[in-house]
């Protein structure tokens, strides 16, 4: 994403006013916005290839806020990796990549030199109700002929991307990821679980400070992200620092709720009270604890996709679905044979995702 302002100032303003952050002014491919933005036709990324070759493309979503669709017009991409973990290869003509995720793909070029150039495109996937940068960044795939000079007016092949809110495509795509699960690259997913957690993930509100006007759902409230209705309060001392030096008292507590304190119809009609609690609350795990975590999206202030990253660990995505997670029926469908291992995944809009991991990295 390209901002004509300091991104830190944008974040600071959003936290102060309680509204959504100002959207970016452009998306970029390798720092270049491309053909569709004003005054940027020369600032277009060009990928030059030769016919009959296979290229490895390493893709990363370096955007601040947005999940992005990606495609190369009239070409098939073979997905072989996600978050530095090999996956069973599968073909696609377009893909989704969330902020912080990486995806490696193989691009097999056409056997003969085509008198055409092919557009590379990325644009957002968005399911929320706020504002977002509804624009498209473009690059160009050019074939280098070994003998002939390129045509001055080659045919420009247009890309085809999913609709902005195509949640069904996103679900179908993400469920194609599978670990290799062989002797060389085993899928060591925990088969038994020591601790089970159920987290609701979504938006809520916090009261606006006295004598101020905010930009949340009302003038008297701020938007607040929350997990199990707790919105994180940034401490003045780093949590790990406080822990290691035995000074945790007053910095954080160990009473984070491991399930919603007030169950409700998470993907149905939202409750009237949208206020969240604020605190620096943690869950403390014994070393080598096997964990199963179900993250459930809610419709409070609108259902939307929530990319989440687990710092310091890889986890296995053992299940996902739409609607409310059913603790009786859904675990029976979990994939414990070749689930995808990664460190960043999206909680589906109006749905849930289940992950398992081994808590064997102290201090993360």
């Amino acid at each position: 994403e390209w901002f004509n302002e300091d991104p830190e100032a944008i974040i600071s303003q959003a936290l102060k006013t309680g509204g959504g952050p100002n959207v970016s002014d452009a998306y970029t491919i390798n720092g270049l916005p491309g053909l569709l933005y004003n005054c940027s036709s020369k600032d277009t990324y060009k990928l030059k290839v030769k016919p009959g070759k296979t290229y490895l493309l390493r893709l990363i979503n370096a955007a601040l806020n947005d999940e992005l669709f990606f495609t190369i017009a009239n070409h098939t991409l073979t997905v072989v990796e996600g978050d530095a973990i090999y996956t069973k290869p599968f073909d696609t003509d377009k893909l989704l990549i969330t902020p912080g995720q990486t995806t490696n793909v193989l691009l097999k070029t056409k056997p003969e030199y085509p008198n055409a150039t092919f557009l590379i495109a990325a644009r957002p996937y968005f399911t929320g109700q706020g504002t977002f940068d509804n624009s498209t960044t473009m690059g160009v795939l050019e074939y280098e002929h070994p003998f002939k000079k390129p045509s001055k007016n080659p045919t420009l092949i247009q890309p085809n991307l999913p609709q902005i809110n195509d949640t069904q495509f996103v679900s179908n795509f993400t469920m194609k990821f599978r670990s290799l699960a062989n002797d060389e690259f085993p899928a060591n997913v925990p088969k038994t679980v020591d601790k089970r957690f159920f987290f609701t993930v979504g938006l809520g509100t916090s009261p606006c400070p006295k004598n101020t006007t905010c930009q949340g759902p009302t003038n008297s409230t701020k938007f607040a992200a929350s997990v199990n209705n707790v919105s994180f309060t940034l401490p003045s001392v780093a949590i790990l620092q406080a822990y290691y030096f035995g000074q945790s008292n007053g910095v954080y507590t160990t009473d984070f709720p491991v399930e919603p304190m007030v169950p409700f119809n998470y993907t149905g009609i939202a409750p009237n009270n949208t206020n969240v609690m604020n605190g620096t609350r943690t869950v403390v795990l014994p070393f080598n604890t096997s964990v199963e975590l179900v993250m459930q999206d809610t419709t409070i202030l609108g259902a939307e996709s929530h990319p989440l990253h687990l710092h310091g660990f890889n986890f296995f995505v053992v299940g996902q679905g739409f609607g409310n997670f059913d603790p009786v029926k859904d675990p029976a469908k979990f994939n414990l044979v070749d689930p995808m291992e990664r460190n960043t995944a999206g909680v589906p809009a109006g749905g849930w995702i289940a992950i398992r991991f081994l808590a064997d990295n102290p201090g993360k």
Side-chain angles (χ1 to χ4, degrees):
E1 284 175 307
W2 177 273
F3 293 89
N4 288 332
E5 300 177 59
D6 177 6
E8 293 291 341
I10 292 173
I11 295 171
S12 178
Q13 179 189 27
L15 292 174
K16 182 178 179 180
T17 65
N22 291 343
V23 301
S24 55
D25 295 283
Y27 299 107
T28 66
I29 298 176
N30 277 357
L32 301 174
L35 305 170
L36 299 184
Y37 298 102
N38 293 334
C39 305
S40 66
S41 60
K42 294 182 180 179
D43 299 318
T44 300
Y45 174 70
K46 293 183 179 180
L47 176 61
K48 296 184 178 182
V49 297
K50 296 179 180 180
K53 301 289 185 180
T54 300
Y55 295 84
L56 174 66
L57 307 183
R58 299 185 184 276
L59 308 176
I60 180 169
N61 182 345
L64 182 66
N65 292 321
D66 292 307
E67 301 174 81
L68 295 170
F69 294 118
F70 177 88
T71 190
I72 300 178
N74 202 20
H75 284 73
T76 298
L77 303 172
T78 302
V79 177
V80 295
E81 174 268 352
D83 293 342
I85 300 294
Y86 289 125
T87 180
K88 289 184 171 71
F90 66 91
D91 292 340
T92 184
D93 60 347
K94 42 191 168 286
L95 56 87
L96 175 86
I97 186 166
T98 73
Q101 275 189 335
T102 66
T103 303
N104 282 1
V105 298
L106 299 179
L107 167 67
K108 189 173 183 179
T109 57
K110 299 183 181 301
E112 304 292 337
Y113 175 79
N115 186 25
T117 57
F118 304 86
L119 289 178
I120 305 168
R123 77 175 182 197
Y125 162 59
F126 186 79
T127 57
Q129 298 182 11
T131 58
F132 67 103
D133 182 358
N134 188 7
S135 65
T136 303
T137 179
M138 291 280 191
V140 176
L141 179 72
E142 290 184 346
Y143 278 75
E144 294 183 297
H145 198 287
F147 305 112
K148 297 180 181 179
K149 292 183 178 180
S151 171
K152 292 183 179 180
N153 297 300
T155 302
L156 193 63
I157 308 299
Q158 300 288 334
N160 179 29
L161 283 167
Q163 294 298 311
I164 290 290
N165 60 350
D166 194 344
T167 295
Q168 192 58 58
F169 168 82
V170 171
S171 176
N172 293 340
F173 174 74
T174 55
M175 292 180 71
K176 291 179 181 179
F177 282 82
R178 292 286 187 271
S179 294
L180 292 181
N182 56 28
D183 291 340
E184 186 176 3
F185 300 101
N188 295 318
V189 55
K191 299 298 194 300
T192 59
V193 174
D194 299 319
K195 299 284 187 180
R196 284 185 167 85
F197 303 125
F198 183 79
F199 290 172
T200 56
V201 180
L203 293 175
T205 57
S206 290
C208 195
K210 290 182 179 180
N211 301 321
T212 60
T213 299
C214 292
Q215 298 175 2
T218 67
N219 289 339
S220 62
T221 59
K222 292 183 176 186
F223 282 107
S226 71
V227 178
N228 278 355
N229 207 45
V230 177
S231 190
F232 182 69
T233 299
L234 189 67
S236 58
V237 178
I239 292 176
L240 286 181
Q241 179 181 340
Y243 174 80
Y244 282 128
F245 289 97
Q247 299 170 345
S248 60
N249 188 31
V251 176
Y252 66 89
T253 62
T254 58
D255 58 348
F256 187 89
V258 298
E259 60 185 15
M261 288 177 284
V262 181
F264 61 98
N265 183 2
Y266 308 112
T267 55
I269 298 175
N272 293 326
N273 184 359
T274 62
N275 287 338
V276 303
M277 297 177 290
N278 295 279
T280 310
R281 303 170 68 174
T282 65
V283 173
V284 177
L285 294 171
F287 179 67
N288 267 347
T289 299
S290 58
V291 178
E292 178 181 291
L293 169 60
V294 176
M295 290 173 283
Q296 171 75 58
D297 183 37
T298 75
T299 53
I300 298 177
L301 302 180
E304 60 180 350
S305 176
H306 296 281
L308 287 178
H309 169 75
L310 182 62
H311 185 64
F313 294 93
N314 283 348
F315 55 78
F316 292 91
V317 180
V318 297
Q320 67 180 67
F322 292 113
N324 293 338
F325 174 73
D326 187 324
V328 175
K329 296 180 180 179
D330 287 327
K333 306 172 191 174
F334 284 176
N335 175 15
L336 302 180
V337 177
D338 60 351
M340 188 59 197
E341 182 182 359
R342 57 190 326 160
N343 59 51
T344 305
V347 180
W352 56 271
I353 189 171
I355 66 172
R356 288 187 179 184
F357 65 96
L358 186 65
D360 60 353
N361 190 0
K364 290 294 185 181

